[in-house]
Amino acid sequence: MNNRPVSAGFESLRAVEIVGRETEQAQIGAFVDAGADGVRALVIRGDPGIGKTTLWQEAVQACRRAGYEVLVTRPAEEELSLALAGLVDLFEHHASDVPVLQAQADPLVRGRALLAALRLIAESRPVLVAVDDLQWLDSASARALRYALRRLDTEPVSVLATTRLGSTPEDPLTMADLLPPGRFDAIDLGPLSLADLRRVVGRIVATISPRTLRRIQDVSGGNPLFALELARSLGGDDGGASSPGGLRLPDSMQAAILRRLESVPVDLVALLETASALARTSVGELRETLPDVDVDALLTLAGRHGLLVVDEELEVRFSHPIIGSVVYGRMSPLARRALHARLARRAADPDLRAHHLALCTDEPDDEVADLLAQAAQRASDRGAVGLAAEFAEHSVRLTPPDDADAARRHALHHIGYLTAAGEPVRALGLADRLVARLPPGPGRAEALVQRAQLEDDDLETGEALLVRALQDAGADAPLRGRVLDQLGWLRGIFRGDLMAGIECAREALAVADAVGDPEFQMSAAAGLSNMETLAGMPRPELMAKAVALEDEIGRPPLWSGPRVLLGEQRLWAGDLPGARALLEAAVADAASRNHERWLPYSLYDLASVESAAGNLVKADGLLRQALELARDCEDAHVESWIFYRHALAATWLGRAEEARAAAKRRLDAGTRRGERPGIARARSVLGLLALSEGDTATAARELGESVRLLDEMGFAHPGAIPALPDAIEAFALTGEGDAARELLEQLGGQAARAGSAWALAALDRAHGVVAFAQGQTDAAVASLRAAASAFAGLGFRPDAARAVLIEGRALLRAGQRTAAADALAVARDAFAAMGAALWEARAAEELDRAAPGRAAGALTPAESRIAALVARGAKNREIAQALFMSVATVEAHLTRIYRKLDIRSRSELTRLITDGSVVLSGRPLPDGDAPAPSQNV
Ligand SMILES: Nc1ncnc2c1ncn2[C@@H]1O[C@H](COP(=O)(O)OP(=O)(O)O)[C@@H](O)[C@H]1O
Ligand SMILES: [Mg+2]
């Protein structure tokens, strides 16, 4: 009906002239000028009405003038129509750049698309992402932006946002944590001065007495919006200033707005109320919703009263969101419901309709409750879990009390969404109440299972809940089996009570086989195989069964699947190529299918393989990738698991402090959750770190504790958490021979049962170390050589090098100085080649004892360049020419080199360099620089 063009005269977003705020404006100016300096953010914080949006708008204009591509969103408090409202706004004019905006896409896929879009735009010009009222940004948009911000670095992308001080969350983008150091800045807006307030209220009143102005300042606390509302309530002149009792002013912003609303024309009320219930709306929508009134005329009137504004896109919003919430709040409950009922009838979007339906009734209604449950599911599928929780809460509220089954289902979903939305405390409270309310039986068992999943950080309580669920499951065999399966993983793998875990898993597998549910069979078989293998009695046939099921039905959605576990088992057994093949395939599979939730697990395990193979830098890179992904998935558990491997890689690479910090985080998480295997892992890596630092006493303490814990838990596979061989080494080297021998015997038994080539090699090395500590050098050397060649044959290079290192020490003790020096040089070079800095230092120390000077072969860069040319057969004159120095200087350098390396001739130097005993520092000369030896200059 209403195709009139928009008449001019709406109160538009005319920029007001900014009063005061000189420092802040200068800071913003600097921010605008630094447009191409890589990713950064500026957040303007303060109370409602203090002037954030005013400054933000000015800055957005300045960026436009400076040639930025400006992407804007101004979320409203009740952002309902679209769960991705923020991103949709930002990319309004770039919709084709972000193809997954509307789709029910995986949050990570959306994050990637957003990142690609930002990078694409940033290639041609600086980008500004401008968010007004960041605290209301919808969670799905926030998540995608977090994904992108984590990865942006040198790209010219700036974020400029306003946020309310003290709102939760103040910054859903957590930019202070996400951005590189030094790229985040905030402006906190305080009150305006009296003089500045005077100029602000000058927009409303031409004259004002100093006394009234001071009253306004007192009451408003220097808040310009409040001051403006107070000035408006004076009625356009300096009303009560001259009255005897002075001025009676409303004492809160809400009260001031309320008082003013009383005096607006009654015709406006319906329009204002409709706008307040729609949160964000447009001229067109208002025309449709209010067909009987002249919306355009009313909008103009509302604009003149400073209540509504219409922007260039014909979107309508309150001049300040607080006014909208006051309008909404002052409606009677009945009027509010009638309004929502009307809006529900008109709403085309099913989510919007569900929202208005929820707000128009208090009467339980199974149809409405179901509609809301569906809306919740849709929102959750889009990753809008906060909105899902809201819908679900309404669906719970509106479920008829006599429909116990629906009530339970809706409540369980509500709890799940709240958990996903990061409100575990509320979720927990609701789950407790639900469990308390339900009668015993399978229904309560399901609630207990969900309640147990919430008890993520306290495995003991989680276990107790699952035990209750088991009782409640009663004769419901499939349910009982699934509870047992979960209980088995929890007890065995997470709590580390292997025997109890195995018992549950056996029963679960029996039920799964009887029920014939393949997915459940796969989980039970994999779990049982894993636990029995950890207990030192591998069950490969069970894992083969699980893998065959995986091939049949595909990878399970909630865990990494049997193939990854099989890869782990291969690693424990010493089969590096087998483990690598499985895990590389798992990584490739997860990556190609964009299942980034699986990827951290597979990457974690692949890193273990590379680390064992001595590809330390590669392992380190994989772990970084895994950690980043764990953060994207916002999965704290997998993150805390990765810390163990991260600590191990850092230990090997000699980054001791980083290793200790990561191990400590693993230790703390394990202790907090009662996750004993995590504690044993963390202690084993702390022990290895001490061992590689030469601190055998600390190593013995940490590794001894780790081994004790492993025994207590029933872990008896030396390859799974490889603490036992290291503990033997630490005890032997620190002089606790009895303890070392006792553990050696234990290792012998475990290695025989585990069927692991790695464990057998580790047993050889342990024998060698113990023999060495007892002074039986011949036996030591024999065992250590066997160990080194077994490890090398398997491809475990760090382990092999460690065996050679001890072999060198044994030879030295046996008085075979040259052979010792040769072995130690081999160990040192092997460690150096892998980047195992601490072990390299250990080996160099020993080498120095065996052949003083040979280890100190660390030549300066200048000496290295000369030595390299000597090794290629160049003469002193040729070297002098190539390096632009005099022959005398070359000779002086050579003298120093000989002294350092304790040698006397060019041929000795050449031999030390070619066999790697001397590591040259500095950049090697490219081949072309070297004079050819034959060329007789
Ligand atoms: N420095 C200023 N100069 C002029 N007017 C201001 C200033 N700061 C705030 N105002 C006015 O106060 C009101 C509230 O400001 P606004 O920026 O919307 O606050 P916020 O975004 O912090 O809630 C607006 O009408 C705005 O024009
Ligand atoms: Mg604002």
Side-chain angles (χ1 to χ4, degrees), residues 127-141:
V127 179
L128 179 74
V129 175
V131 188
D132 189 21
D133 283 327
L134 177 62
Q135 76 278 3
W136 290 328
L137 186 67
D138 64 277
S139 57
S141 299

Side-chain angles (χ1 to χ4, degrees), residues 209 211-212 215 234 237-249:
S209 72
R211 178 154 157 242
T212 307
R215 282 283 292 144
L234 296 177
D237 58 38
D238 195 351
S242 50
S243 65
L247 202 50
R248 276 211 338 274
L249 286 177

